[in-house]
Amino acid sequence: MEQMISSLGFPIASTCALSGAMYGVIKYFLERDKINQENMNKLIENLREDNNIDREMYKDTIEKFDCKLDKFAIALENNNSELGVIKEDIRNIKEKVGV
């Protein structure tokens, strides 16, 4: 450094040293930004994978629920038919009894 100052002068030597320090700081921030971007990309990818897994799980759940709902609708329809038969039987009994 002494040789640089004596051959180039203090202003030029300090400018060179400051430029080197600035280069190091800029390189550090660029590297940190790159690492942050990579981490963000990994996080986004993990979230996408989780969303796909959740989507499949919800799809399966909805399909199972839809199947059970169809079975429930069939059971309700059967009960409705049976209630109609019981209602008709009660009418017949009332007619016979005279009520």
Side-chain angles (χ1 to χ4, degrees):
M1 187 69 167
E2 284 181 38
Q3 203 174 36
M4 189 180 210
I5 291 173
S6 63
S7 63
L8 297 174
F10 181 75
I12 295 175
S14 61
T15 302
C16 288
L18 185 61
S19 295
M22 288 295 291
Y23 173 76
V25 169
I26 290 171
K27 184 176 178 183
Y28 166 76
F29 280 115
L30 289 176
E31 189 66 30
R32 193 177 79 176
D33 186 53
K34 181 181 175 186
I35 290 170
N36 285 343
Q37 188 65 37
E38 289 172 357
N39 289 341
M40 185 63 69
N41 288 341
K42 288 177 186 176
L43 178 64
I44 289 171
E45 186 61 34
N46 287 340
L47 289 173
R48 284 186 180 146
E49 289 175 15
D50 289 347
N51 283 343
N52 288 336
I53 291 169
D54 289 345
R55 203 173 289 138
E56 287 299 316
M57 183 183 70
Y58 293 144
K59 182 180 173 186
D60 291 343
T61 303
I62 289 171
E63 287 175 359
K64 289 176 185 175
F65 181 73
D66 191 41
C67 181
K68 290 188 184 280
L69 202 56
D70 287 343
K71 289 179 182 178
F72 184 67
I74 292 169
L76 281 178
E77 192 174 311
N78 289 341
N79 286 347
N80 237 2
S81 298
E82 290 176 20
L83 285 174
V85 170
I86 291 171
K87 187 176 180 181
E88 189 61 36
D89 288 346
I90 290 173
R91 261 195 214 124
N92 291 339
I93 291 171
K94 280 183 174 179
E95 285 177 3
K96 287 181 183 178
V97 172
V99 177

Coordinates of all heavy atoms in Angstrom, one line a residue:
M1 N 0.8 -1.2 0.0 CA 0.0 0.0 0.0 C 0.9 1.2 0.0 O 0.5 2.2 -0.7 CB -0.9 -0.1 1.2 CG -2.0 1.0 1.3 SD -3.1 0.8 0.0 CE -4.4 1.9 0.4
E2 N 2.0 1.2 0.8 CA 2.9 2.4 0.8 C 3.5 2.6 -0.6 O 3.6 3.8 -1.0 CB 4.0 2.1 1.8 CG 3.6 2.3 3.2 CD 4.8 2.0 4.1 OE1 6.0 2.5 3.8 OE2 4.6 1.4 5.2
Q3 N 3.8 1.6 -1.3 CA 4.4 1.7 -2.6 C 3.4 2.3 -3.5 O 3.7 3.2 -4.4 CB 4.8 0.3 -3.1 CG 5.9 0.4 -4.1 CD 6.4 -1.0 -4.5 OE1 5.5 -2.0 -4.5 NE2 7.6 -1.2 -4.7
M4 N 2.1 1.9 -3.4 CA 1.0 2.4 -4.2 C 0.9 3.9 -4.0 O 0.7 4.7 -4.9 CB -0.2 1.7 -4.0 CG -1.3 1.9 -4.9 SD -2.8 0.9 -4.4 CE -3.5 0.7 -5.9
I5 N 0.9 4.3 -2.7 CA 0.7 5.7 -2.3 C 1.8 6.5 -2.9 O 1.6 7.6 -3.4 CB 0.5 5.9 -0.8 CG1 -0.8 5.3 -0.4 CG2 0.6 7.4 -0.4 CD1 -1.0 5.2 1.2
S6 N 3.1 6.0 -2.7 CA 4.2 6.8 -3.2 C 4.3 6.9 -4.7 O 4.7 7.9 -5.2 CB 5.5 6.2 -2.6 OG 5.7 4.9 -3.1
S7 N 3.9 5.9 -5.4 CA 4.0 5.9 -6.9 C 2.8 6.6 -7.5 O 2.9 7.3 -8.5 CB 4.1 4.5 -7.4 OG 3.0 3.7 -7.2
L8 N 1.6 6.4 -7.0 CA 0.4 7.0 -7.6 C -0.1 8.3 -6.8 O -0.9 9.0 -7.4 CB -0.8 6.0 -7.6 CG -0.5 4.7 -8.4 CD1 -1.7 3.8 -8.2 CD2 -0.4 5.1 -9.9
G9 N 0.2 8.4 -5.6 CA -0.3 9.5 -4.8 C -1.5 9.0 -4.0 O -2.2 8.1 -4.3
F10 N -1.7 9.8 -2.9 CA -2.7 9.4 -1.9 C -4.2 9.4 -2.5 O -4.9 8.4 -2.3 CB -2.7 10.3 -0.7 CG -3.7 9.9 0.4 CD1 -3.5 8.8 1.1 CD2 -4.9 10.7 0.5 CE1 -4.5 8.4 2.1 CE2 -5.8 10.3 1.5 CZ -5.6 9.2 2.3
P11 N -4.6 10.4 -3.3 CA -6.0 10.4 -3.8 C -6.2 9.2 -4.7 O -7.3 8.6 -4.6 CB -6.1 11.7 -4.5 CG -5.0 12.6 -4.0 CD -3.9 11.7 -3.5
I12 N -5.3 8.9 -5.6 CA -5.5 7.8 -6.5 C -5.5 6.4 -5.7 O -6.3 5.5 -6.0 CB -4.5 7.8 -7.6 CG1 -4.7 9.1 -8.5 CG2 -4.6 6.6 -8.5 CD1 -3.7 9.3 -9.5
A13 N -4.6 6.3 -4.8 CA -4.4 5.1 -4.0 C -5.7 4.8 -3.2 O -6.2 3.7 -3.1 CB -3.2 5.1 -3.2
S14 N -6.2 5.9 -2.5 CA -7.4 5.8 -1.7 C -8.6 5.5 -2.6 O -9.5 4.7 -2.2 CB -7.6 7.0 -0.8 OG -7.8 8.1 -1.6
T15 N -8.6 6.0 -3.8 CA -9.7 5.7 -4.7 C -9.7 4.3 -5.1 O -10.7 3.6 -5.1 CB -9.7 6.7 -5.9 OG1 -9.7 8.0 -5.5 CG2 -10.8 6.4 -6.9
C16 N -8.5 3.8 -5.4 CA -8.4 2.3 -5.7 C -8.8 1.4 -4.6 O -9.5 0.5 -4.8 CB -6.9 2.0 -6.1 SG -6.5 2.7 -7.7
A17 N -8.4 1.8 -3.4 CA -8.7 1.0 -2.2 C -10.2 1.1 -1.9 O -10.9 0.0 -1.6 CB -8.0 1.5 -1.0
L18 N -10.8 2.3 -2.1 CA -12.3 2.4 -1.9 C -13.0 1.7 -3.0 O -14.1 1.0 -2.7 CB -12.6 3.9 -1.9 CG -14.1 4.2 -1.6 CD1 -14.4 3.8 -0.2 CD2 -14.3 5.7 -1.7
S19 N -12.5 1.7 -4.2 CA -13.2 0.9 -5.3 C -13.2 -0.6 -5.0 O -14.2 -1.3 -5.2 CB -12.4 1.2 -6.6 OG -12.6 2.5 -7.0
G20 N -12.0 -1.1 -4.4 CA -12.0 -2.5 -4.1 C -13.0 -2.8 -3.0 O -13.6 -3.9 -3.0
A21 N -13.0 -1.9 -2.0 CA -14.0 -2.2 -0.9 C -15.4 -2.1 -1.4 O -16.3 -2.9 -1.0 CB -13.8 -1.1 0.2
M22 N -15.7 -1.2 -2.3 CA -17.1 -1.0 -2.8 C -17.4 -2.3 -3.7 O -18.5 -2.8 -3.6 CB -17.2 0.2 -3.7 CG -17.2 1.5 -3.0 SD -18.6 1.7 -1.9 CE -19.9 1.9 -3.2
Y23 N -16.4 -2.8 -4.4 CA -16.6 -4.0 -5.2 C -17.0 -5.2 -4.3 O -17.9 -5.9 -4.5 CB -15.4 -4.4 -6.0 CG -15.4 -5.7 -6.7 CD1 -16.2 -5.8 -7.8 CD2 -14.8 -6.8 -6.2 CE1 -16.3 -7.1 -8.5 CE2 -14.9 -8.0 -6.8 CZ -15.6 -8.2 -7.9 OH -15.7 -9.4 -8.6
G24 N -16.3 -5.3 -3.1 CA -16.6 -6.3 -2.2 C -18.0 -6.2 -1.6 O -18.7 -7.2 -1.5
V25 N -18.4 -5.0 -1.2 CA -19.7 -4.8 -0.7 C -20.8 -5.1 -1.7 O -21.8 -5.8 -1.4 CB -19.8 -3.3 -0.1 CG1 -21.3 -3.0 0.2 CG2 -18.9 -3.1 1.0
I26 N -20.6 -4.6 -2.9 CA -21.6 -4.9 -4.0 C -21.7 -6.3 -4.3 O -22.8 -6.9 -4.4 CB -21.2 -4.1 -5.3 CG1 -21.4 -2.6 -5.0 CG2 -22.0 -4.5 -6.5 CD1 -20.9 -1.7 -6.1
K27 N -20.5 -7.0 -4.3 CA -20.5 -8.5 -4.6 C -21.3 -9.2 -3.4 O -22.0 -10.1 -3.7 CB -19.1 -9.0 -4.7 CG -19.0 -10.4 -5.0 CD -17.6 -10.9 -5.2 CE -17.6 -12.4 -5.5 NZ -16.2 -12.9 -5.6
Y28 N -21.0 -8.7 -2.2 CA -21.7 -9.4 -1.1 C -23.2 -9.2 -1.2 O -24.0 -10.2 -1.0 CB -21.2 -8.7 0.2 CG -22.1 -9.0 1.4 CD1 -22.1 -10.3 2.0 CD2 -23.0 -8.1 1.9 CE1 -22.9 -10.6 3.1 CE2 -23.8 -8.4 3.0 CZ -23.8 -9.6 3.6 OH -24.6 -9.9 4.6
F29 N -23.7 -8.0 -1.5 CA -25.1 -7.8 -1.6 C -25.7 -8.5 -2.8 O -26.8 -9.0 -2.7 CB -25.4 -6.3 -1.7 CG -25.4 -5.6 -0.4 CD1 -24.5 -4.6 -0.2 CD2 -26.3 -5.9 0.6 CE1 -24.4 -3.9 1.1 CE2 -26.3 -5.2 1.8 CZ -25.4 -4.3 2.0
L30 N -25.0 -8.6 -3.9 CA -25.5 -9.4 -5.1 C -25.6 -10.8 -4.7 O -26.6 -11.5 -5.1 CB -24.6 -9.1 -6.3 CG -24.7 -7.8 -6.9 CD1 -23.7 -7.6 -8.1 CD2 -26.1 -7.5 -7.5
E31 N -24.6 -11.4 -4.0 CA -24.6 -12.8 -3.6 C -25.8 -13.1 -2.7 O -26.4 -14.1 -2.8 CB -23.3 -13.2 -3.0 CG -23.1 -14.6 -2.8 CD -23.1 -15.4 -4.1 OE1 -22.6 -14.9 -5.1 OE2 -23.5 -16.6 -4.0
R32 N -25.9 -12.1 -1.7 CA -27.0 -12.3 -0.8 C -28.4 -12.2 -1.5 O -29.3 -13.0 -1.2 CB -26.9 -11.2 0.3 CG -27.8 -11.5 1.5 CD -27.7 -10.4 2.5 NE -28.5 -9.3 2.1 CZ -28.7 -8.2 2.7 NH1 -28.1 -8.0 3.9 NH2 -29.4 -7.2 2.3
D33 N -28.5 -11.4 -2.4 CA -29.8 -11.3 -3.2 C -30.0 -12.5 -4.0 O -31.1 -13.0 -4.1 CB -29.7 -10.0 -4.1 CG -31.0 -9.8 -4.8 OD1 -32.0 -9.7 -4.1 OD2 -31.0 -9.7 -6.1
K34 N -28.9 -13.1 -4.6 CA -29.0 -14.3 -5.3 C -29.5 -15.5 -4.4 O -30.4 -16.3 -4.8 CB -27.7 -14.7 -6.0 CG -27.7 -15.9 -6.8 CD -26.3 -16.2 -7.4 CE -26.3 -17.5 -8.1 NZ -25.0 -17.9 -8.5
I35 N -28.9 -15.6 -3.2 CA -29.3 -16.6 -2.3 C -30.7 -16.4 -1.8 O -31.5 -17.4 -1.7 CB -28.3 -16.6 -1.1 CG1 -27.0 -17.1 -1.5 CG2 -28.9 -17.4 0.1 CD1 -25.9 -16.9 -0.4
N36 N -31.1 -15.2 -1.6 CA -32.5 -14.9 -1.2 C -33.5 -15.3 -2.3 O -34.6 -15.9 -2.0 CB -32.7 -13.4 -0.8 CG -32.1 -13.1 0.5 OD1 -31.9 -13.9 1.3 ND2 -31.9 -11.8 0.7
Q37 N -33.1 -15.0 -3.5 CA -34.0 -15.4 -4.7 C -34.1 -16.9 -4.8 O -35.2 -17.4 -5.0 CB -33.4 -14.8 -6.0 CG -34.3 -14.9 -7.2 CD -35.6 -14.2 -7.0 OE1 -35.7 -13.1 -6.5 NE2 -36.7 -14.8 -7.5
E38 N -33.0 -17.6 -4.6 CA -33.0 -19.1 -4.7 C -33.9 -19.6 -3.5 O -34.7 -20.6 -3.8 CB -31.6 -19.6 -4.6 CG -30.7 -19.4 -5.8 CD -29.3 -19.8 -5.6 OE1 -28.9 -20.2 -4.5 OE2 -28.5 -19.7 -6.6
N39 N -33.8 -19.1 -2.4 CA -34.6 -19.5 -1.2 C -36.1 -19.2 -1.5 O -36.9 -20.1 -1.2 CB -34.2 -18.8 0.1 CG -32.8 -19.3 0.6 OD1 -32.4 -20.4 0.2 ND2 -32.2 -18.6 1.4
M40 N -36.4 -18.1 -2.1 CA -37.7 -17.7 -2.4 C -38.3 -18.7 -3.5 O -39.4 -19.2 -3.4 CB -37.8 -16.3 -2.9 CG -39.2 -15.8 -3.2 SD -40.3 -15.8 -1.7 CE -39.5 -14.5 -0.8
N41 N -37.5 -19.0 -4.5 CA -37.9 -20.0 -5.5 C -38.2 -21.4 -4.9 O -39.1 -22.0 -5.3 CB -36.9 -20.1 -6.6 CG -36.8 -18.8 -7.5 OD1 -37.8 -18.0 -7.5 ND2 -35.7 -18.6 -8.2
K42 N -37.3 -21.8 -4.0 CA -37.5 -23.1 -3.3 C -38.8 -23.1 -2.5 O -39.6 -24.0 -2.5 CB -36.4 -23.4 -2.4 CG -35.1 -23.8 -3.1 CD -34.0 -24.1 -2.1 CE -32.7 -24.3 -2.8 NZ -31.6 -24.5 -1.9
L43 N -39.1 -21.9 -1.8 CA -40.3 -21.8 -1.0 C -41.5 -21.8 -1.9 O -42.5 -22.5 -1.6 CB -40.3 -20.5 -0.2 CG -41.5 -20.2 0.6 CD1 -41.7 -21.2 1.7 CD2 -41.4 -18.8 1.2
I44 N -41.5 -21.1 -3.0 CA -42.6 -21.1 -4.0 C -42.8 -22.5 -4.5 O -44.0 -23.0 -4.6 CB -42.3 -20.1 -5.1 CG1 -42.4 -18.7 -4.6 CG2 -43.3 -20.3 -6.3 CD1 -42.0 -17.6 -5.5
E45 N -41.8 -23.2 -4.9 CA -41.9 -24.6 -5.4 C -42.5 -25.5 -4.4 O -43.4 -26.3 -4.7 CB -40.6 -25.1 -5.9 CG -40.6 -26.5 -6.5 CD -41.5 -26.5 -7.8 OE1 -41.5 -25.4 -8.5 OE2 -42.1 -27.5 -8.1
N46 N -42.1 -25.4 -3.1 CA -42.7 -26.2 -2.0 C -44.1 -25.9 -1.8 O -45.0 -26.8 -1.6 CB -41.9 -26.0 -0.7 CG -40.5 -26.6 -0.7 OD1 -40.3 -27.5 -1.5 ND2 -39.7 -26.1 0.1
L47 N -44.5 -24.6 -1.9 CA -45.9 -24.2 -1.8 C -46.7 -24.8 -2.9 O -47.9 -25.2 -2.7 CB -46.0 -22.7 -1.7 CG -45.6 -22.1 -0.4 CD1 -45.6 -20.5 -0.5 CD2 -46.4 -22.5 0.8
R48 N -46.2 -24.8 -4.1 CA -46.9 -25.3 -5.3 C -47.1 -26.8 -5.1 O -48.2 -27.3 -5.4 CB -46.1 -25.1 -6.6 CG -46.2 -23.6 -7.0 CD -45.6 -23.5 -8.4 NE -45.7 -22.1 -8.8 CZ -44.8 -21.4 -9.5 NH1 -43.7 -22.0 -9.8 NH2 -45.0 -20.1 -9.8
E49 N -46.1 -27.5 -4.6 CA -46.2 -29.0 -4.4 C -47.3 -29.2 -3.3 O -48.1 -30.1 -3.4 CB -44.9 -29.6 -4.0 CG -43.9 -29.7 -5.1 CD -42.5 -30.1 -4.6 OE1 -42.4 -30.7 -3.5 OE2 -41.6 -30.0 -5.4
D50 N -47.2 -28.4 -2.2 CA -48.2 -28.6 -1.2 C -49.6 -28.3 -1.7 O -50.6 -29.0 -1.3 CB -47.9 -27.6 0.0 CG -46.7 -28.0 0.8 OD1 -46.2 -29.2 0.6 OD2 -46.2 -27.2 1.6
N51 N -49.8 -27.3 -2.5 CA -51.1 -27.0 -3.1 C -51.6 -28.1 -4.0 O -52.8 -28.4 -3.9 CB -51.0 -25.7 -3.9 CG -51.0 -24.4 -3.1 OD1 -51.3 -24.5 -1.9 ND2 -50.6 -23.3 -3.7
N52 N -50.7 -28.7 -4.7 CA -51.1 -29.9 -5.6 C -51.6 -31.0 -4.7 O -52.6 -31.7 -5.0 CB -50.0 -30.3 -6.5 CG -49.8 -29.3 -7.6 OD1 -50.7 -28.6 -8.0 ND2 -48.6 -29.3 -8.2
I53 N -50.8 -31.3 -3.6 CA -51.2 -32.4 -2.7 C -52.5 -32.1 -2.1 O -53.4 -32.9 -2.0 CB -50.1 -32.6 -1.6 CG1 -48.8 -33.1 -2.3 CG2 -50.6 -33.5 -0.5 CD1 -47.6 -33.1 -1.3
D54 N -52.7 -30.8 -1.6 CA -54.0 -30.4 -1.0 C -55.1 -30.5 -2.0 O -56.2 -31.0 -1.7 CB -53.9 -29.0 -0.5 CG -53.1 -28.9 0.8 OD1 -52.7 -29.9 1.4 OD2 -52.7 -27.7 1.1
R55 N -54.9 -30.1 -3.2 CA -55.9 -30.2 -4.3 C -56.4 -31.6 -4.5 O -57.5 -31.9 -4.6 CB -55.3 -29.6 -5.6 CG -56.4 -29.1 -6.5 CD -55.8 -28.3 -7.7 NE -55.3 -27.1 -7.3 CZ -54.1 -26.5 -7.7 NH1 -53.4 -27.2 -8.5 NH2 -53.7 -25.4 -7.3
E56 N -55.4 -32.6 -4.6 CA -55.7 -34.0 -4.8 C -56.5 -34.5 -3.6 O -57.5 -35.2 -3.7 CB -54.5 -34.8 -5.0 CG -53.8 -34.6 -6.3 CD -54.7 -35.0 -7.4 OE1 -55.4 -36.1 -7.4 OE2 -54.8 -34.3 -8.4
M57 N -56.1 -34.1 -2.4 CA -56.8 -34.6 -1.2 C -58.2 -34.0 -1.2 O -59.2 -34.8 -0.9 CB -56.1 -34.1 0.1 CG -56.7 -34.6 1.4 SD -55.9 -33.9 2.8 CE -56.3 -32.2 2.8
Y58 N -58.4 -32.8 -1.5 CA -59.8 -32.2 -1.5 C -60.6 -32.8 -2.6 O -61.8 -33.1 -2.4 CB -59.7 -30.7 -1.7 CG -59.1 -29.9 -0.5 CD1 -58.3 -28.8 -0.7 CD2 -59.3 -30.3 0.8 CE1 -57.8 -28.1 0.3 CE2 -58.8 -29.7 1.8 CZ -58.0 -28.5 1.6 OH -57.5 -27.9 2.6
K59 N -60.0 -33.1 -3.7 CA -60.7 -33.8 -4.8 C -61.2 -35.1 -4.4 O -62.4 -35.5 -4.6 CB -59.7 -33.9 -6.0 CG -60.4 -34.5 -7.2 CD -59.4 -34.7 -8.4 CE -60.0 -35.4 -9.5 NZ -58.9 -35.7 -10.6
D60 N -60.3 -35.9 -3.7 CA -60.7 -37.2 -3.2 C -61.9 -37.1 -2.2 O -62.8 -37.9 -2.2 CB -59.6 -38.0 -2.6 CG -58.5 -38.4 -3.6 OD1 -58.8 -38.4 -4.8 OD2 -57.4 -38.7 -3.2
T61 N -61.7 -36.1 -1.3 CA -62.7 -35.9 -0.2 C -64.1 -35.5 -0.9 O -65.1 -36.1 -0.4 CB -62.3 -34.8 0.7 OG1 -61.0 -35.2 1.3 CG2 -63.3 -34.6 1.8
I62 N -64.1 -34.7 -1.8 CA -65.3 -34.2 -2.5 C -65.9 -35.4 -3.2 O -67.2 -35.6 -3.2 CB -65.0 -33.1 -3.4 CG1 -64.7 -31.8 -2.6 CG2 -66.2 -32.8 -4.4 CD1 -64.2 -30.6 -3.4
E63 N -65.1 -36.2 -3.9 CA -65.6 -37.4 -4.6 C -66.3 -38.4 -3.6 O -67.4 -38.9 -3.9 CB -64.5 -38.1 -5.4 CG -64.1 -37.3 -6.6 CD -62.9 -38.0 -7.3 OE1 -62.4 -39.0 -6.9 OE2 -62.5 -37.4 -8.4
K64 N -65.7 -38.6 -2.5 CA -66.3 -39.5 -1.5 C -67.5 -38.9 -0.9 O -68.5 -39.6 -0.8 CB -65.3 -39.7 -0.3 CG -64.1 -40.6 -0.7 CD -63.1 -40.7 0.5 CE -61.9 -41.4 0.1 NZ -60.8 -41.4 1.1
F65 N -67.5 -37.6 -0.7 CA -68.7 -36.9 -0.1 C -69.9 -37.0 -1.2 O -71.0 -37.3 -0.8 CB -68.4 -35.5 0.2 CG -69.6 -34.7 0.8 CD1 -70.0 -35.0 2.0 CD2 -70.2 -33.8 0.0 CE1 -71.1 -34.3 2.6 CE2 -71.3 -33.1 0.5 CZ -71.8 -33.3 1.8
D66 N -69.5 -36.8 -2.4 CA -70.5 -36.8 -3.5 C -71.1 -38.2 -3.6 O -72.3 -38.4 -3.8 CB -69.8 -36.5 -4.8 CG -70.8 -36.2 -5.9 OD1 -71.9 -35.6 -5.7 OD2 -70.6 -36.7 -7.1
C67 N -70.3 -39.3 -3.5 CA -70.8 -40.7 -3.5 C -71.7 -40.9 -2.3 O -72.8 -41.5 -2.5 CB -69.6 -41.6 -3.5 SG -70.1 -43.4 -3.5
K68 N -71.3 -40.5 -1.1 CA -72.2 -40.7 0.0 C -73.5 -39.8 -0.1 O -74.6 -40.3 0.3 CB -71.5 -40.3 1.3 CG -70.3 -41.2 1.7 CD -69.7 -40.9 3.0 CE -68.6 -41.8 3.3 NZ -68.9 -43.2 3.7
L69 N -73.4 -38.7 -0.7 CA -74.6 -37.9 -0.9 C -75.6 -38.5 -1.9 O -76.8 -38.5 -1.7 CB -74.2 -36.5 -1.5 CG -75.1 -35.3 -1.3 CD1 -75.5 -35.1 0.2 CD2 -74.5 -34.1 -1.8
D70 N -75.0 -39.2 -2.9 CA -75.9 -39.9 -3.8 C -76.6 -41.1 -3.1 O -77.8 -41.3 -3.3 CB -75.0 -40.5 -5.0 CG -74.6 -39.4 -6.0 OD1 -75.2 -38.3 -5.9 OD2 -73.7 -39.6 -6.7
K71 N -75.8 -41.8 -2.3 CA -76.4 -42.9 -1.5 C -77.5 -42.4 -0.6 O -78.6 -43.0 -0.4 CB -75.4 -43.6 -0.7 CG -74.4 -44.5 -1.6 CD -73.4 -45.2 -0.7 CE -72.4 -45.9 -1.6 NZ -71.4 -46.6 -0.8
F72 N -77.3 -41.2 0.1 CA -78.2 -40.6 1.0 C -79.5 -40.2 0.2 O -80.6 -40.4 0.7 CB -77.6 -39.4 1.7 CG -78.5 -38.8 2.7 CD1 -78.8 -39.4 3.9 CD2 -79.0 -37.5 2.5 CE1 -79.6 -38.9 4.8 CE2 -79.8 -36.9 3.4 CZ -80.1 -37.6 4.6
A73 N -79.3 -39.7 -1.0 CA -80.5 -39.3 -1.8 C -81.3 -40.5 -2.2 O -82.5 -40.5 -2.2 CB -80.0 -38.6 -3.1
I74 N -80.6 -41.6 -2.5 CA -81.4 -42.8 -2.9 C -82.1 -43.3 -1.6 O -83.3 -43.8 -1.7 CB -80.4 -43.9 -3.4 CG1 -79.8 -43.5 -4.7 CG2 -81.0 -45.3 -3.5 CD1 -78.7 -44.3 -5.3
A75 N -81.5 -43.3 -0.5 CA -82.1 -43.7 0.8 C -83.4 -42.9 1.1 O -84.4 -43.4 1.5 CB -81.2 -43.7 1.9
L76 N -83.2 -41.6 0.9 CA -84.4 -40.7 1.1 C -85.5 -41.0 0.1 O -86.7 -40.9 0.5 CB -83.9 -39.2 0.9 CG -83.2 -38.6 2.1 CD1 -82.8 -37.1 1.7 CD2 -84.1 -38.5 3.3
E77 N -85.1 -41.2 -1.1 CA -86.2 -41.6 -2.1 C -86.9 -42.9 -1.7 O -88.1 -42.9 -1.8 CB -85.5 -41.7 -3.5 CG -86.5 -41.8 -4.6 CD -85.8 -41.8 -6.0 OE1 -84.9 -40.9 -6.2 OE2 -86.1 -42.6 -6.8
N78 N -86.1 -43.9 -1.3 CA -86.8 -45.1 -0.8 C -87.7 -44.9 0.4 O -88.8 -45.4 0.5 CB -85.7 -46.1 -0.5 CG -85.0 -46.7 -1.7 OD1 -85.5 -46.6 -2.8 ND2 -83.8 -47.2 -1.5
N79 N -87.2 -44.1 1.3 CA -88.0 -43.8 2.5 C -89.3 -43.0 2.1 O -90.4 -43.3 2.7 CB -87.2 -42.9 3.5 CG -86.2 -43.8 4.3 OD1 -86.2 -45.0 4.2 ND2 -85.3 -43.1 4.9
N80 N -89.1 -42.1 1.2 CA -90.3 -41.4 0.7 C -91.3 -42.3 0.1 O -92.5 -42.2 0.3 CB -89.9 -40.4 -0.4 CG -90.3 -39.0 -0.1 OD1 -90.9 -38.7 1.0 ND2 -89.9 -38.1 -1.0
S81 N -90.9 -43.3 -0.7 CA -91.8 -44.3 -1.3 C -92.5 -45.1 -0.3 O -93.7 -45.3 -0.3 CB -91.0 -45.2 -2.3 OG -90.4 -44.5 -3.3
E82 N -91.7 -45.5 0.7 CA -92.3 -46.3 1.8 C -93.3 -45.5 2.6 O -94.3 -46.0 3.0 CB -91.2 -46.9 2.7 CG -90.3 -48.0 2.0 CD -89.2 -48.4 2.9 OE1 -89.2 -48.2 4.1 OE2 -88.2 -49.0 2.4
L83 N -93.0 -44.3 2.8 CA -93.9 -43.4 3.6 C -95.2 -43.2 2.8 O -96.3 -43.1 3.3 CB -93.3 -42.0 3.9 CG -92.3 -42.0 5.0 CD1 -91.6 -40.6 5.1 CD2 -92.9 -42.4 6.3
G84 N -95.0 -43.1 1.4 CA -96.2 -43.0 0.6 C -97.1 -44.2 0.7 O -98.3 -44.1 0.8
V85 N -96.5 -45.4 0.7 CA -97.2 -46.7 0.9 C -97.9 -46.7 2.3 O -99.1 -47.1 2.4 CB -96.3 -47.9 0.7 CG1 -97.0 -49.2 1.1 CG2 -95.7 -48.0 -0.7
I86 N -97.2 -46.3 3.3 CA -97.8 -46.3 4.7 C -98.9 -45.3 4.7 O -100.0 -45.6 5.3 CB -96.7 -45.9 5.7 CG1 -95.7 -47.1 5.8 CG2 -97.3 -45.6 7.1 CD1 -94.4 -46.7 6.7
K87 N -98.8 -44.2 4.1 CA -99.8 -43.2 4.1 C -101.1 -43.7 3.4 O -102.2 -43.5 3.8 CB -99.3 -41.9 3.3 CG -100.2 -40.7 3.4 CD -99.6 -39.6 2.7 CE -100.5 -38.3 2.7 NZ -99.8 -37.2 2.0
E88 N -100.9 -44.4 2.3 CA -102.0 -45.0 1.6 C -102.7 -46.1 2.4 O -103.9 -46.2 2.5 CB -101.5 -45.6 0.2 CG -102.6 -46.0 -0.7 CD -103.5 -44.9 -1.1 OE1 -103.1 -43.8 -1.3 OE2 -104.7 -45.2 -1.2
D89 N -101.9 -46.9 3.1 CA -102.4 -47.9 4.0 C -103.2 -47.3 5.1 O -104.3 -47.8 5.5 CB -101.3 -48.8 4.6 CG -100.7 -49.7 3.6 OD1 -101.2 -49.9 2.5 OD2 -99.6 -50.2 3.9
I90 N -102.8 -46.2 5.7 CA -103.5 -45.5 6.8 C -104.8 -45.0 6.2 O -105.9 -45.1 6.9 CB -102.7 -44.4 7.4 CG1 -101.5 -45.0 8.2 CG2 -103.5 -43.4 8.3 CD1 -100.5 -43.9 8.7
R91 N -104.8 -44.4 5.0 CA -106.1 -44.0 4.4 C -107.1 -45.1 4.2 O -108.3 -45.0 4.5 CB -105.8 -43.4 3.0 CG -105.7 -41.9 3.0 CD -105.8 -41.3 1.6 NE -104.9 -40.1 1.5 CZ -103.9 -39.9 0.7 NH1 -103.7 -40.8 -0.2 NH2 -103.2 -38.8 0.8
N92 N -106.6 -46.3 3.8 CA -107.4 -47.4 3.6 C -108.0 -47.9 4.9 O -109.2 -48.2 5.0 CB -106.7 -48.6 3.0 CG -106.3 -48.3 1.5 OD1 -107.0 -47.5 0.9 ND2 -105.3 -49.0 1.0
I93 N -107.2 -47.9 6.0 CA -107.7 -48.3 7.3 C -108.7 -47.3 7.8 O -109.7 -47.7 8.3 CB -106.5 -48.4 8.3 CG1 -105.6 -49.5 7.9 CG2 -107.0 -48.5 9.7 CD1 -104.3 -49.6 8.7
K94 N -108.5 -46.0 7.6 CA -109.4 -44.9 8.0 C -110.8 -45.1 7.3 O -111.8 -45.0 7.9 CB -108.9 -43.6 7.7 CG -107.9 -43.0 8.7 CD -107.5 -41.6 8.4 CE -106.7 -41.0 9.4 NZ -106.3 -39.6 9.0
E95 N -110.7 -45.5 6.0 CA -112.0 -45.7 5.2 C -112.7 -46.9 5.8 O -113.9 -46.8 5.9 CB -111.6 -45.8 3.8 CG -111.3 -44.6 3.1 CD -110.9 -44.8 1.6 OE1 -111.0 -46.0 1.1 OE2 -110.4 -43.9 1.0
K96 N -112.0 -47.9 6.1 CA -112.6 -49.1 6.6 C -113.2 -48.9 8.0 O -114.3 -49.4 8.3 CB -111.7 -50.3 6.7 CG -111.3 -50.8 5.3 CD -110.4 -52.0 5.4 CE -110.0 -52.5 4.0 NZ -109.1 -53.6 4.1
V97 N -112.5 -48.1 8.8 CA -113.0 -47.8 10.2 C -114.1 -46.8 10.1 O -114.9 -46.8 11.0 CB -111.8 -47.4 11.1 CG1 -112.3 -46.9 12.4 CG2 -110.8 -48.5 11.2
G98 N -114.0 -45.9 9.2 CA -115.0 -44.9 9.0 C -114.6 -43.6 9.7 O -115.5 -42.8 10.2
V99 N -113.4 -43.3 9.8 CA -113.0 -42.0 10.4 C -112.8 -41.0 9.3 O -112.5 -41.1 8.2 CB -111.6 -42.2 11.1 CG1 -111.1 -40.9 11.7 CG2 -111.8 -43.3 12.2

